[in-house]
């Protein structure tokens, strides 16, 4: 275990921040949370209570209640107590640049400063810091207390030693970190999602499919296969003895024709209205709150079934 990192500061306690807090607490860390918004502490404690109840009911923690959470509206004081900072502020570069410059000045140079940014380039954030070598992306998948992947990106300035320490820390707290050595907008997960989002929104906006049909295609076809092994392994298995090479040789021309036929669209108000209307019909059947609860329980079962082997090296 990485004994050096026992106290984590979580800066920004919205949806992602609150989930991070629950996750760090569940893995034995002291957490100092900070958020300037009025009423933030109360909302955080309600959210963490909810997450903790779920973790307990699903056997992720063995205590009915948690300890070790402290809240401080004074950012400098909060982060001064930590060895690792997980930031979850607004996804706006100018705001993050100011915030990281302040955190950089308020912490020792050995403290790792990680952003949960969904897609900003970390080099642009590092450029505003005196100690850019300890500033990284540590992007989780929502919700962090349930889904294990974290994308770690060092950009132009982060040191190899900091990357190694961050990878070790995330592993220590039960994550599956992957180190992406090239920074691109949206990182890896969100770029993959964005490609799917574009096509599913296009299909619904043109009437080729409904939101319910798109979701059914993922739930009962692609989703289970990808959860079990991932798209590259599945594509290889589709080729039989010839593997991936055989698939690309045989289906390559068809794939390219599909790629050129994929939809390109601009999110006009009319397209947004049509897509939201179709999705609302799907959500209304059970309600968003019930769907979220069922999703989390199902994802937990899927992960338990799928992660039953040694994963390949991802660094």
């Amino acid at each position: 275990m990485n004994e050096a990192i026992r106290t984590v500061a979580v800066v920004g306690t919205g949806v992602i921040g609150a989930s991070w807090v629950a996750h760090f607490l569940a893995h034995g860390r002291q957490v100092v949370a900070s958020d300037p918004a009025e009423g933030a502490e109360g909302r955080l404690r309600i959210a963490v209570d909810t997450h903790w109840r779920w973790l307990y009911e699903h056997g992720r923690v063995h205590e009915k209640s948690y300890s070790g959470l402290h809240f401080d509206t004074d950012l400098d004081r909060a982060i001064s107590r930590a060895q690792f900072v997980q930031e979850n502020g607004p996804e706006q570069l100018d705001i993050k640049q100011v915030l990281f410059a302040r955190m950089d000045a308020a912490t020792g140079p050995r403290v790792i400063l990680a952003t949960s940014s969904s897609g900003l380039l970390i080099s642009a954030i590092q450029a505003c810091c005196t100690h850019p070598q300890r500033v990284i992306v540590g992007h989780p998948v929502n919700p962090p207390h349930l889904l294990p992947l974290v994308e770690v990106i060092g950009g132009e300035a982060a040191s190899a030693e900091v990357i190694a320490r961050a990878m070790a820390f995330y592993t220590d707290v039960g994550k599956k970190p992957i180190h992406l050595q090239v920074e691109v907008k949206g990182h890896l997960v969100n770029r993959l999602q964005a490609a799917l989002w574009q096509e599913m929104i296009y299909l619904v906006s043109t009437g080729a499919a409904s939101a319910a049909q798109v979701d059914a295609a993922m739930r009962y076809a692609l989703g289970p296969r990808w959860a079990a092994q991932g798209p590259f392994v599945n594509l290889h298995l589709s080729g039989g003895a010839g593997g991936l090479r055989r698939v690309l040789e045989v289906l390559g021309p068809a794939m390219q024709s599909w790629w050129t036929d994929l939809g390109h669209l601009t999110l006009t108000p009319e397209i947004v209205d049509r897509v939201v209307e179709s999705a609302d019909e799907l959500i209304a059947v059970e309600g968003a709150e019930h769907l979220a609860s069922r999703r989390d329980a199902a994802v937990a079962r899927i992960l338990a079934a799928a992660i039953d082997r040694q994963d390949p090296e991802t660094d």
Side-chain angles (χ1 to χ4, degrees):
M1 178 176 289
N2 192 336
E3 295 294 343
I5 299 177
R6 301 304 308 171
T7 301
V8 182
V10 175
V11 176
T13 58
V15 172
I16 301 298
S19 182
W20 266 127
V21 168
H23 182 80
F24 289 137
L25 291 172
H27 286 81
R29 269 45 179 195
Q30 296 287 309
V31 176
V32 184
S34 186
D35 192 310
E38 184 177 353
E41 181 177 3
R43 290 190 296 273
L44 171 63
R45 293 189 181 278
I46 291 172
V48 174
D49 287 347
T50 300
H51 295 330
W52 195 268
R53 185 165 54 253
W54 188 94
L55 291 167
Y56 178 76
E57 290 172 353
H58 289 81
R60 301 295 187 91
V61 295
H62 302 295
E63 299 80 22
K64 287 187 176 181
S65 60
Y66 58 88
S67 61
L69 173 58
H70 311 277
F71 190 92
D72 196 330
T73 55
D74 187 301
L75 174 64
D76 294 356
R77 187 169 58 215
I79 63 178
S80 70
R81 302 166 59 182
Q83 293 87 47
F84 192 101
V85 177
Q86 187 74 46
E87 175 272 338
N88 314 277
E91 188 73 357
Q92 294 176 236
L93 179 58
D94 56 344
I95 292 177
K96 288 198 187 291
Q97 287 175 328
V98 172
L99 180 56
F100 270 79
R102 179 177 174 183
M103 295 193 301
D104 184 48
T107 54
R110 289 281 297 169
V111 177
I112 296 175
L113 305 180
T115 177
S116 294
S117 169
S118 298
L120 296 175
L121 301 183
I122 191 62
S123 294
I125 298 173
Q126 293 167 338
C128 299
C129 298
T130 303
H131 303 286
Q133 73 280 358
R134 47 76 173 266
V135 177
I136 64 168
V137 168
H139 174 241
V141 181
N142 188 36
H145 70 276
L146 172 58
L147 291 165
L149 189 81
V150 178
E151 298 175 307
V152 175
I153 308 170
E156 296 176 359
S159 69
E161 185 260 349
V162 164
I163 294 296
R165 287 175 58 213
M167 294 286 287
F169 169 67
Y170 283 129
T171 301
D172 284 346
V173 295
K175 288 298 187 180
K176 295 283 187 182
I178 57 173
H179 176 207
L180 303 177
Q181 300 188 28
V182 176
E183 57 178 336
V184 290
K185 292 179 181 179
H187 316 322
L188 173 59
V189 171
N190 280 332
R191 287 181 75 92
L192 293 173
Q193 287 194 127
L196 180 59
W197 291 338
Q198 175 173 292
E199 186 60 13
M200 73 187 205
I201 291 172
Y202 172 79
L203 291 170
V204 173
S205 70
T206 59
S210 67
Q213 290 170 329
V214 169
D215 278 24
M218 291 301 300
R219 291 184 65 193
Y220 305 122
L222 301 181
R225 293 196 309 189
W226 289 355
Q229 293 290 358
F232 266 114
V233 170
N234 274 284
L235 199 56
H236 176 85
L237 295 176
S238 297
L244 177 60
R245 181 174 298 279
R246 179 63 175 165
V247 172
L248 296 179
E249 289 173 348
V250 173
L251 287 182
M255 286 185 186
Q256 292 187 86
S257 72
W258 299 337
W259 291 338
T260 57
D261 195 52
L262 292 177
H264 297 278
L265 74 165
T266 300
L267 287 178
T268 63
E270 293 76 20
I271 287 177
V272 170
D273 288 344
R274 177 175 291 187
V275 171
V276 169
E277 181 181 0
S278 185
D280 282 347
E281 293 174 359
L282 173 63
I283 301 301
V285 175
E286 297 185 55
E289 185 174 345
H290 181 62
L291 287 169
S293 177
R294 283 212 302 119
R295 176 205 62 188
D296 290 352
V299 167
R301 293 194 299 271
I302 291 168
L303 286 172
I307 304 177
D308 59 357
R309 59 182 176 81
Q310 182 65 40
D311 288 324
E313 180 59 51
T314 54
D315 188 7

